[in-house]
Amino acid sequence: MRYVVGYSANARGHDAVNLAVSLARGRGATLDLVVAIPEVSPFSAAHAPKVGFETLLHEQARTWLDEALALVPADVPAEGHVRSGESDAQTLMDACEEFQADMLIIGATSNGLFKRFTIGSVAGALLHAATVPVALAPHGYHRREALTRVSCGLGARPGADELLDYAVSMASNRDVPLRVVSLLTLDDGESPEVAEAARSHAGDRVSAALPGGEAGSRPATKTEVVVAQGGSIEEAVDRLDWEDGEVLVIGSSRLARSRSIFLGTTANRILRALPVPMIVVPSDYALKQRTHSTSNETSGEAPS
């Protein structure tokens, strides 16, 4: 297991490292801390020779990496890398391909409310184009212990079953409970019958995902199905209880091209109210991983 961590020498970078440590401790993963720097062209730093400027840039990046590695506890394997490219987002995506990463971990921008998300340009680009799951740490995220629960935001759109498979894998591989969440707004109806129908539908999908096949080969996972209701998506999220050691797993919008991420309107609204990290899974990613594992006769564990 390898997780790429997009590090910047500010609070956002520290949040990302903290989340990476928490995720790694649950899976024994190795962290690849990456500082992205711009490519040096003949037009860069016109006031300084190209070679000298490039050397200074790499020296500064190495200093930042040393600071980042010092944040990682001794029980979590970590390596530092300086990579350059046309954009930070593309550089991080290239690093994920280079290291065959199972996840990319980044932080929210530092001007958001405490433990809330404000999506900057780099995070925005990654959340629309990455081909591996992207974990986003809220501003001010300090937790470094292993996860205590995985929540999965389950909808009715195509790809939901693959997302649920991924969440089941993530929870069972870490030996933590799984909570499956359906969000209802006033437009969906506030009657008890509507909520019960949503709960029953989600429960049926969870039951189908747990027995037999790949999921059934893992230890039993404690699973809970909840329906949160509110006048808005944000209110429904606020009404849920969230553990400090929890993450929410959601899928890409239906607008995403296959095996990539597109953060849709609902996910953006969830981010406004969410107090815990969010992991966005690319379209068809879980299905791709399951097929890959089967074809290679692996143990069946999804890389989550």
Side-chain angles (χ1 to χ4, degrees), residues 5-300:
V5 185
Y7 181 76
S8 52
N10 53 24
R12 181 174 68 249
H14 290 198
D15 295 339
V17 172
N18 288 337
L19 176 57
V21 168
S22 177
L23 291 168
R25 276 180 161 159
R27 287 291 279 144
T30 295
L31 303 182
D32 289 292
L33 277 59
V34 176
V35 170
I37 60 175
E39 286 183 331
V40 178
S41 73
F43 305 101
S44 299
H47 61 281
K50 174 185 173 182
V51 175
F53 176 72
E54 188 173 17
T55 299
L56 289 173
L57 195 59
H58 276 267
E59 287 178 353
Q60 180 62 73
R62 291 304 314 181
T63 299
W64 289 334
L65 272 180
D66 290 341
E67 295 171 357
L69 290 168
L71 299 173
V72 181
D75 63 305
V76 177
E79 301 176 14
H81 314 274
V82 177
R83 293 294 183 269
S84 61
E86 294 183 0
S87 71
D88 288 355
Q90 186 60 54
T91 299
L92 291 174
M93 286 189 284
D94 289 345
C96 287
E97 183 175 351
E98 175 185 352
F99 301 122
Q100 294 294 293
D102 300 291
M103 191 180 297
L104 172 60
I105 302 167
I106 56 177
T109 56
S110 57
N111 60 345
L113 294 175
F114 183 68
K115 289 203 172 180
R116 290 296 187 268
F117 296 85
T118 303
I119 304 301
S121 58
V122 175
L126 290 169
L127 289 172
H128 285 77
T131 56
V132 299
V134 175
L136 186 61
H139 174 54
Y141 189 78
H142 297 297
R143 182 182 173 84
R144 295 156 70 86
E145 296 80 13
L147 297 184
T148 60
R149 183 168 69 180
V150 173
S151 279
C152 176
L154 189 65
R157 291 175 176 171
D161 291 335
E162 287 80 12
L163 175 67
L164 183 56
D165 284 346
Y166 181 89
V168 168
S169 298
M170 186 172 186
S172 59
N173 290 341
R174 296 163 184 275
D175 195 24
V176 298
L178 171 67
R179 180 173 68 161
V180 178
V181 176
S182 287
L183 301 175
L184 291 182
T185 65
L186 284 173
D187 292 339
D188 300 315
E190 286 281 8
S191 70
E193 292 79 10
V194 171
E196 183 54 38
R199 184 179 293 105
S200 176
H201 177 65
D204 289 343
R205 297 176 86 162
V206 171
S207 297
L210 289 175
E214 184 188 21
S217 66
R218 300 188 182 88
T221 302
K222 181 181 178 182
T223 307
E224 175 189 14
V225 178
V226 299
V227 176
Q229 295 175 269
S232 65
I233 291 292
E234 294 88 339
E235 184 178 331
V237 172
D238 265 335
R239 288 185 176 182
L240 287 167
D241 66 289
W242 299 97
E243 297 181 1
D244 288 342
E246 184 168 8
V247 296
L248 174 67
V249 179
I250 66 167
S252 295
S253 163
R254 67 186 186 281
L255 299 177
R257 55 187 172 84
S258 181
R259 299 178 184 174
S260 68
I261 285 176
F262 186 92
L263 199 65
T265 302
T266 300
N268 269 306
R269 294 175 65 186
I270 291 172
L271 277 173
R272 296 175 191 168
L274 190 67
V276 300
M278 174 184 278
I279 299 176
V280 187
V281 181
S283 172
D284 292 345
Y285 181 82
L287 179 62
K288 176 188 70 172
Q289 295 303 321
R290 184 168 66 248
T291 302
H292 176 77
S293 295
T294 301
S295 65
N296 285 282
E297 299 181 355
T298 66
S299 64

